Amino acid sequence: MTAATRDTSPEAVYPDYLHCLAEADEHAAVEVARGLLDAGVAADRVLLDLVAPAQAEVGERWARNEWSVAQEHAATHVSERVVAAVAAYADVRPTRARIVVACMDGEWHALPARLVAEVLRLRGWQVTFLGASVPAAHLVSYLHRYDAYAVALASALPMRLPHAHRMIEACRRADVPVLVGGRGFGVDGRWARRLGVAWAADAPAAADLLRDERALRAVPPADLAHLADDEYATLVNRRGELIDSALAELAQRFPATRDQTPAQLDSTVSDLGYILDFLGAALYVDDSSLFTEFVGWLVTILNSRGVPAVTVDASLAHYGRRLHDSPRAVDHLQRGRAVLPAVDRQAA
């Protein structure tokens, strides 16, 4: 094989590959990837330097409202087919123990975890990829049936952290070491450390960590003493009531919301629920930055869809009044309002 050149590097063919995703052209996308492999580019570089950044751009285009959900799904399907083609081309035989890779219960963004699984496979591990949204009970049942050296769990959404903690503890009760990754644990792994679990920034880092079982198991215990105040449990129990009251107030303050289509109403209810879910995750790990980062992201998404920031401000203020007996929750909500762009609350 020849060494990769400037013209046959993942960076050089990236625009062509992204065009294939935009056109949902599976055949052409696979040809781009195979062209790199034929030119001597390592399979893991194709996955990490071509497929991964292109998929990140797919998500950004959806967030900017440039692509519809259908376009995002079509592009993701093409990337999944490319990953399968790269894996088949490499055809590495396992020489190491079994690693089980799965997404958290409720986590449907499976492609990043699939990329990790394939990189581990390329490093010689026998990998079982369980896919998206694996219930904890089913994962543990699988671990009891099949001998696993370790479990790698992925999550893209911080709001899944409470579920992640339960899943991590369930795996540990089965005496299987756990490794986590994905944006859901913080870009620097801060929330993984709060949950007391090993974290890897990317697939190569995960492969390196898995080679050292002592390091994999030697993590500080979870730091969750703050949960004794029951604020998280209270929020979970009141979730439905809070969404209903916030929806009623939005209809009163913003009459236009009364004329929403069923699809628009569903989106509003979902957004109100996401606010509570991210607030709950922030309470669970006691980190307001989790919530403020989400609020900033939400406003950007809604703005691209023509929804004014003042509606988010009104919802945060409403939740703050309803949760007045929960000081940590009120503090997070106030910090969330502080990151909003300037809004004319009086006029609203």
Side-chain angles (χ1 to χ4, degrees):
M1 290 187 179
T2 60
T5 68
R6 180 181 176 185
D7 294 331
T8 56
S9 69
E11 295 77 14
V13 302
Y14 177 82
D16 292 336
Y17 182 76
L18 198 57
H19 178 74
C20 295
L21 297 187
E23 297 298 317
D25 191 337
E26 176 184 325
H27 177 77
V30 170
E31 285 300 305
V32 170
R34 283 180 175 163
L36 291 176
L37 295 169
D38 289 339
V41 178
D44 59 351
R45 280 199 64 204
V46 177
L47 296 176
L48 299 174
D49 297 341
L50 178 68
V51 179
Q55 192 60 27
E57 175 61 22
V58 168
E60 289 297 323
R61 292 187 180 189
W62 170 84
R64 296 192 299 264
N65 205 28
E66 296 174 8
W67 282 12
S68 67
V69 171
Q71 288 174 296
E72 185 268 336
H73 285 185
T76 300
H77 170 74
V78 172
S79 288
E80 289 171 344
R81 297 297 298 164
V82 171
V83 172
V86 171
Y89 186 101
D91 192 27
V92 176
R93 300 302 179 186
T95 58
R96 300 176 182 268
R98 182 193 301 271
I99 305 295
V100 175
V101 180
C103 293
M104 300 294 177
D105 191 2
E107 173 60 68
W108 296 99
H109 297 80
L111 185 57
R114 174 75 186 279
L115 289 171
V116 172
E118 294 306 331
V119 169
L120 294 179
R121 202 187 312 274
L122 290 169
R123 303 295 173 88
W125 294 97
Q126 180 182 351
V127 179
T128 300
F129 179 58
L130 300 185
S133 190
V134 181
H138 294 199
L139 175 59
V140 171
S141 176
Y142 187 90
L143 295 178
H144 283 308
R145 184 173 181 181
Y146 297 96
D147 185 33
Y149 170 81
V151 175
L153 300 175
S155 179
L157 300 173
M159 72 177 186
R160 302 294 179 195
L161 285 170
H163 299 283
H165 187 218
R166 291 191 285 272
M167 207 163 183
I168 291 164
E169 292 304 309
C171 292
R172 283 176 171 162
R173 286 193 291 272
D175 196 31
V176 180
V178 183
L179 171 68
V180 300
R183 293 184 179 181
F185 294 96
V187 294
D188 56 358
R190 70 183 74 171
W191 302 317
R193 290 190 291 274
R194 182 58 61 90
L195 298 182
V197 64
W199 171 81
D202 51 31
D208 291 341
L209 186 55
L210 285 169
R211 286 202 297 267
D212 188 348
E213 185 176 1
R214 179 175 296 180
L216 192 60
R217 292 181 180 271
V219 292
D223 181 14
L224 300 171
H226 52 272
L227 292 178
D229 63 13
D230 287 333
E231 286 200 26
Y232 169 75
T234 298
L235 181 65
V236 171
N237 291 333
R238 296 184 60 189
R239 185 179 187 275
E241 164 218 327
L242 290 166
I243 292 174
D244 289 343
S245 63
L247 191 63
E249 180 164 314
L250 284 176
Q252 181 179 6
R253 293 190 57 186
F254 306 98
T257 62
R258 302 171 191 168
D259 299 324
Q260 288 183 326
T261 66
Q264 290 172 328
L265 180 60
D266 285 346
S267 293
T268 300
V269 171
S270 295
D271 291 338
L272 291 171
Y274 288 144
I275 291 172
L276 292 177
D277 293 339
F278 275 87
L279 176 60
L283 290 172
Y284 200 89
V285 298
D286 197 30
D287 188 346
S288 61
S289 70
L290 188 158
F291 187 66
T292 55
E293 289 171 9
F294 161 72
V295 171
W297 175 86
L298 178 64
V299 170
T300 300
I301 296 296
L302 294 180
N303 182 64
S304 70
R305 288 154 176 77
V307 180
V310 68
T311 58
V312 177
D313 181 73
S315 299
L316 298 183
H318 174 83
Y319 286 149
R321 291 191 297 272
R322 289 281 179 155
L323 294 168
H324 61 88
D325 289 332
S326 299
R328 285 199 299 127
V330 170
D331 178 67
H332 292 338
L333 289 162
Q334 290 174 340
R335 291 174 184 268
R337 296 183 73 190
V339 304
L340 293 172
V343 296
D344 190 342
R345 298 184 177 110
Q346 185 173 2

